[in-house]
Amino acid sequence: MKMTETQFQLIKSQLKTLTSQDCFYKRKLEGIDIDAIQSQEDFEKLPFTWKGDLRDAYPLGLQAVPDEDIVRIHSSSGTTGTPVIIPYTAQDVSDWADMFARCYEMAGINKLDRIQITPGYGLWTAGIGFQLGAERLGAMTIPMGPGNTDKQLRMMVDLKSTVLCATSSYALLLAEEIEKRGIGDQIHLRKGVIGSERWGEKMRKRIAKELGVQLYDIYGLTEVYGPGIGISCDYECGMHMWDDYIYFEIVNPKTGEVLPDGEIGELVITTLKKQGAPLIRYRTHDLTRVITGDCPCGSKYPRIDTILGRTDDMVKVKGVNIFPSQIDEMLSGIPGASSEYQFMIDHLYGKDICTLFVEIDKGVDKTSMEAAITAGFKAKIGITVIVKPVDIGELPRSEKKSTRVFDNRY
Ligand code: ZN
């Protein structure tokens, strides 16, 4: 990606501000001559910012403006250890609302829509972000938060919700529940905005079909505002990113070298306008690539591919790198196999043993599925695994992000 002149100027002035006061980046960039940064190439020599740096700054070490300018904080859901706290100014909150409203508009959602929001509210950026964007757009929100499926469905029917905001696993759970209860004809949904999870083509088709909606992938992370910094359009060919607020690069996750457009690597984000906690070259750990060429929708905002996995989800088994997205793709080519699986790696008797649990459609013969999936795995991914077909609904569903790969070796 070529950095635009506007982006360069915004980054440059941000670097100047950050290094002229006592703050996180003054210490991080110590010894670097900011005036000597004259080009994109110079910028690409700046050190990365890691999640660990943010954790070390706990609680408010990232704050880059005086206390009186901070209006709220959010915290990343961090599974273990110290959370990351991100402070926001009123302008940050407003910029986030503008970006999120733009996401809804890209998805063809308008003021007359009724938006049912199922992600959680609170320290997490999810629910409150969906809410903020919908209010900026002027639509009616139904701020449900997660869980309580009975109530979700009742509100969905009685209030005639037209848009569902959810994680992919919760959208799937609701879709299955609607089918089970036979209430599909009472559902008025037309769009689904699905956040923060990598999901396969098969799962997408199933949710879209059972809910009767067009789905949009929304992208974001708490460290960089939250969800809403990019979204897919009607053509479902990657996600448009709001490059007037963020600058992004794709780097080799091992070496950190910037990769040419089209190559898969780790997404690295620099904020252009953020005040409370600006970030320079932040390693997201999300794997994706730049999609080149013009989008048929006509939008000029650049695109990245749907998230293909996390750098930390990648597992190495018998010398082969395996990404969850490869398993999704392999399963999507096998009729009778669903999108739901769990991949377990154990170390037994001195060798790695892989087991793949897959939900299969009702009435499909388990023995033949076992053979088909074993052969598919070997052919597409290159190793032999033990396949255990299970019935639809047997694997856990989650209201948050699902874990599909369990590495029990260490
Ligand atoms: Zn487009």
Side-chain angles (χ1 to χ4, degrees):
M1 294 285 295
K2 186 92 191 74
M3 186 186 278
T4 65
E5 184 55 27
T6 314
Q7 288 174 328
F8 182 77
Q9 293 308 336
L10 285 167
I11 291 173
K12 193 78 192 277
S13 78
Q14 178 168 253
L15 286 169
K16 280 202 165 141
T17 313
L18 290 174
T19 49
S20 62
Q21 58 186 40
D22 183 37
C23 69
F24 173 81
Y25 276 107
K26 171 146 180 122
R27 292 182 295 272
K28 174 111 187 146
L29 301 175
E30 205 172 352
I32 295 171
D33 179 7
I34 300 302
D35 290 323
I37 300 172
Q38 297 294 344
S39 65
Q40 178 173 352
E41 290 66 38
D42 295 338
F43 168 78
E44 288 172 359
K45 290 183 195 125
L46 287 176
F48 293 113
T49 304
W50 300 85
K51 184 129 183 181
D53 296 334
L54 273 46
R55 242 182 240 126
D56 292 344
Y58 180 86
L60 286 169
L62 283 175
Q63 188 178 317
V65 294
D67 281 355
E68 60 267 33
D69 293 339
I70 298 298
V71 299
R72 69 156 87 150
I73 61 117
H74 281 292
S75 170
S76 71
S77 50
T79 43
T80 50
T82 313
V84 167
I85 304 280
I86 306 290
Y88 294 64
T89 65
Q91 185 65 47
D92 292 337
V93 173
S94 178
D95 286 349
W96 185 20
D98 284 342
M99 279 188 277
F100 215 127
R102 198 192 277 170
C103 288
Y104 284 129
E105 280 166 356
M106 178 66 88
I109 295 163
N110 61 53
K111 282 179 180 217
L112 288 171
D113 277 300
R114 296 178 172 187
I115 305 182
Q116 184 156 342
I117 300 168
T118 71
Y121 286 72
L123 278 176
W124 213 30
T125 47
I128 207 165
F130 281 99
Q131 178 82 28
L132 192 65
E135 288 179 0
R136 180 64 52 99
L137 179 73
M140 182 175 99
T141 61
I142 306 163
M144 297 298 296
N148 202 343
T149 302
D150 284 338
K151 200 166 186 183
Q152 295 281 4
L153 294 176
R154 174 161 191 194
M155 289 291 165
M156 196 180 280
V157 169
D158 294 347
L159 288 168
K160 300 187 169 62
S161 308
T162 57
V163 177
L164 174 68
C165 300
T167 60
S168 55
S169 38
Y170 197 52
L172 178 62
L173 186 147
L174 288 173
E176 288 175 340
E177 213 43 52
I178 287 165
E179 196 200 14
K180 210 183 286 170
R181 298 177 190 205
I183 54 169
D185 57 337
Q186 298 169 55
I187 301 295
H188 295 80
L189 294 176
R190 61 184 199 96
K191 307 271 181 184
V193 180
I194 307 296
S196 75
E197 223 178 337
R198 178 197 51 73
W199 49 323
E201 218 21 60
K202 206 155 195 166
M203 185 171 183
R204 161 187 284 281
K205 286 209 179 99
R206 214 168 129 215
I207 297 171
K209 183 174 152 271
E210 289 184 9
L211 292 178
V213 297
Q214 177 151 17
L215 295 172
Y216 299 84
D217 290 302
I218 194 157
Y219 182 71
L221 58 164
T222 299
E223 296 89 323
V224 187
Y225 297 99
I229 62 172
I231 192 167
S232 61
C233 64
D234 288 345
Y235 294 87
E236 298 181 4
C237 50
M239 300 182 284
H240 290 282
M241 299 284 274
W242 311 138
D243 69 344
D244 44 349
Y245 290 93
I246 56 158
Y247 172 72
F248 62 90
E249 307 164 80
I250 305 291
V251 307
N252 178 323
K254 293 253 150 57
T255 64
E257 144 207 34
V258 179
L259 295 171
D261 290 353
E263 282 188 28
I264 294 175
E266 181 176 342
L267 180 68
V268 172
I269 295 178
T270 297
T271 60
L272 300 175
K273 298 180 179 167
K274 214 157 179 274
Q275 301 173 331
L279 288 175
I280 307 292
R281 305 198 82 203
Y282 181 64
R283 300 283 295 246
T284 65
H285 291 311
D286 283 328
L287 292 167
T288 183
R289 62 187 158 146
V290 170
I291 296 184
T292 52
D294 296 329
C295 183
C297 78
S299 168
K300 63 184 191 327
Y301 290 104
R303 285 171 295 154
I304 57 169
D305 209 337
T306 26
I307 301 306
L308 305 165
R310 301 266 306 158
T311 52
D312 26 315
D313 284 345
M314 189 181 85
V315 286
K316 198 166 184 171
V317 184
K318 300 170 188 175
V320 176
N321 285 330
I322 301 175
F323 298 103
S325 54
Q326 291 175 294
I327 304 180
D328 291 333
E329 202 180 302
M330 184 273 298
L331 290 175
S332 70
I334 298 180
S338 88
S339 56
E340 297 304 294
Y341 70 86
Q342 279 189 354
F343 186 60
M344 309 262 185
I345 312 150
D346 295 283
H347 194 74
L348 288 171
Y349 314 115
K351 57 178 184 174
D352 292 339
I353 311 277
C354 302
T355 313
L356 181 69
F357 295 88
V358 187
E359 290 188 1
I360 60 165
D361 295 344
K362 225 181 248 161
V364 180
D365 177 55
K366 285 192 176 158
T367 317
S368 59
M369 280 314 288
E370 192 182 318
I373 298 169
T374 309
F377 207 107
K378 177 79 185 155
K380 294 266 164 65
I381 301 165
I383 62 166
T384 302
V385 300
I386 300 163
V387 174
K388 304 250 189 219
V390 298
D391 292 331
I392 295 278
E394 276 195 45
L395 295 176
R397 300 289 189 270
S398 152
E399 283 160 12
K400 285 197 172 183
K401 302 180 186 191
S402 329
T403 308
R404 298 181 194 279
V405 175
F406 297 86
D407 193 344
N408 307 319
R409 288 176 294 183
Y410 310 107

